[in-house]
Amino acid sequence: MLIFENVTAQQISWVKSNKKNLENQSGIKKLYYPETQDELKDLIMTLNNNHEQYDIIGYSSNTLFLPSYTADNVVCTKNVNSWKDTDNEFVCDCGVAIGKIAKYAIEQGYIGFEGLTDLPGTVAAGIYGNCGCRGCSVNKVVESFSLLTPDNRVVELTPQQLDLKYRSSSLKRHEIQGVILQIKLIRNIGKAEELIKIAEKNHLIRKKNQPSGANNLGTTFNGGNNYTIKGLAFTLLEKTIQFFLWTSDRRRSYPKALRLVGKAKFIPYLFNPKRYMFTDEKSHILFDEYCSFLESLYKDSRLEIEIRK
C-alpha cells in the first residue's frame, strides 16, 4: 500500500485547472492507496476502530476539491481493481473503472453495459451516485455488493435497497454509511457483435455531443424544471432567440440569452447550461456565482457533483 503524508488535494483532483490554489495548502495529512480488497478492508477497519475520520475517493471524476479542503485521512480505491468472471460469478472490486469493465462485458455479450463504456469513475462510485449513460445504468447491472459499515460489519446489499433517485442514492445522501468492497455483476447474455455495434454508436454520439473528460466533472447540475419568476422570463427570452435562429439547440441560444442579461462572463465556461468547464483559475472563481445564477432561475436546481470543502 502506498502512503503519502502532508499532500495537497491537487494529487487527487480530477480537474487540474486550480493547481496553483490547491497547492498553496497541504490539507491532507495521510493519503492511502490500498492495492487489494483485503488491504482496503483492513485499513478501513483500523480507521474505524481508532475513531479516525476519513474520506473515500476513486478517480474523483465527479468531485470538486476547494483550496480550503482538509482531511486527516483520504483513502483512494482506484488501485483496488481486480475482477473475475467465472462459471459461478462475475465480480469486481470497488476500484474497477466502469469503462474498462463495460468494454469487457460487451465483448462477452453481457447486456446492459453498452452505454457505459465512456463513463468515468469506478464501479463503486457508479453505485454510490446512481450513474448512467445512453439508457444504461450502473445499478441495473449490479446484482449485489458488500458494504463495510462504520461498526466493521460486512453486509450484502442490492441496489434496490438504496432508495435510488435520479443521480442519487441513500449512500450519496449519507442515509446509509459504509465503504463498498466488492460488487457482483449481472450476466444477461446477448449477442456480442450487436452490443459492440451499439456501444460504438453510443461512443460516437457521446463524442459528438459531449466534451472530453478533461476539465469537467460530467453534468454539473440536475433538476431545473420548476421555474422562478426570473426563470420564466429568462426561458421566454431564450425561446424567442430560438425562434429567430430557427433552432432548438441550447448551445446556440443559451449563450446569446446570457449575453443579453449581462452574464456573458459565464459563456467561456459552459459546454451547455448544466455542464460547467473548469478550464482555468477564473472558472473556479466564477463557479459559485454561476450556481447562484441558476438558483435564481430554478427552484429545484441541484448540484450533481460533490464539493469537498
Side-chain angles (χ1 to χ4, degrees):
M1 182 189 318
L2 293 174
I3 303 174
F4 299 91
E5 296 186 0
N6 298 318
V7 298
T8 73
Q10 172 63 20
Q11 186 161 333
I12 55 175
S13 176
W14 178 270
V15 294
K16 303 302 182 184
S17 49
N18 207 22
K19 183 176 186 293
K20 180 179 178 181
N21 288 325
L22 288 179
E23 288 187 340
N24 281 338
Q25 182 172 337
S26 298
I28 301 172
K29 292 182 180 179
K30 285 191 176 181
L31 171 60
Y32 301 86
Y33 287 92
E35 297 180 343
T36 67
Q37 188 183 148
D38 285 339
E39 281 190 352
L40 173 63
K41 182 179 177 182
D42 289 346
L43 171 61
I44 297 302
M45 291 180 72
T46 299
L47 293 171
N48 286 338
N49 287 333
N50 293 337
H51 304 290
E52 293 191 56
Q53 293 184 331
Y54 57 88
D55 282 344
I56 298 288
I57 63 165
Y59 286 97
S60 77
S61 56
N62 197 237
T63 304
L64 178 66
F65 292 94
L66 300 186
S68 58
Y69 176 73
T70 60
D72 289 339
N73 303 283
V74 175
V75 181
C76 180
T77 64
K78 67 180 182 180
N79 292 338
V80 187
N81 55 15
S82 296
W83 83 75
K84 61 181 180 180
D85 184 14
T86 68
D87 291 340
N88 297 322
E89 59 184 3
F90 181 24
V91 296
C92 70
D93 289 342
C94 58
V96 170
I98 295 173
K100 189 173 183 178
I101 198 75
K103 289 174 183 176
Y104 167 83
I106 291 165
E107 291 171 355
Q108 309 311 306
Y110 302 157
I111 298 171
F113 295 84
E114 55 273 16
L116 304 177
T117 57
D118 289 309
L119 203 62
T122 65
V123 178
I127 295 171
Y128 174 89
N130 192 22
C131 300
C133 187
R134 304 306 305 167
C136 294
S137 168
V138 173
N139 279 313
K140 286 184 179 179
V141 295
V142 171
E143 182 175 327
S144 62
F145 61 93
S146 58
L147 185 78
L148 178 59
T149 64
D151 59 356
N152 287 341
R153 292 181 302 115
V154 177
V155 298
E156 198 77 13
L157 297 176
T158 66
Q160 292 71 35
Q161 293 174 279
L162 295 182
D163 189 20
L164 299 174
K165 297 178 182 178
Y166 182 76
R167 299 294 181 262
S168 180
S169 73
S170 52
L171 279 170
K172 187 174 182 178
R173 297 189 299 272
H174 306 295
E175 297 160 4
I176 295 176
Q177 294 186 330
V179 177
I180 297 174
L181 298 175
Q182 189 178 64
I183 300 101
K184 185 174 183 180
L185 298 164
I186 297 171
R187 293 181 290 196
N188 288 327
I189 307 299
K191 294 182 178 180
E193 59 272 18
E194 293 181 2
L195 296 175
I196 290 171
K197 288 180 181 178
I198 294 172
E200 289 174 347
K201 182 179 179 181
N202 286 335
H203 170 71
L204 292 174
I205 292 173
R206 184 181 178 91
K207 187 176 181 180
K208 179 180 178 180
N209 294 291
Q210 294 189 27
S212 69
N215 296 323
N216 74 96
L217 298 169
T219 301
T220 316
F221 307 91
N222 60 37
N225 295 312
N226 191 3
Y227 297 103
T228 63
I229 293 175
K230 184 176 179 179
L232 288 172
F234 185 84
T235 300
L236 178 60
L237 172 63
E238 191 178 355
K239 292 293 184 184
T240 303
I241 292 170
Q242 289 177 347
F243 174 79
F244 283 104
L245 292 178
W246 288 78
T247 182
S248 60
D249 184 357
R250 296 198 72 192
R251 290 185 61 190
R252 293 183 60 193
S253 60
Y254 191 70
K256 293 184 182 300
L258 287 176
R259 198 176 299 279
L260 288 174
V261 297
K263 302 294 182 180
K265 58 187 173 184
F266 298 136
I267 296 174
Y269 305 111
L270 297 173
F271 183 80
N272 59 39
K274 295 184 178 181
R275 186 180 292 260
Y276 194 89
M277 306 295 292
F278 296 93
T279 55
D280 57 28
E281 290 183 7
K282 187 178 178 181
S283 65
H284 292 266
I285 295 171
L286 289 175
F287 180 65
D288 282 346
E289 192 175 339
Y290 185 65
C291 291
S292 298
F293 173 69
L294 286 188
E295 289 171 359
S296 74
L297 301 183
Y298 306 103
K299 298 177 181 178
D300 57 347
S301 179
R302 302 180 303 279
L303 281 171
E304 190 168 309
I305 65 172
E306 291 199 317
I307 297 180
R308 302 285 177 94
K309 301 180 180 180

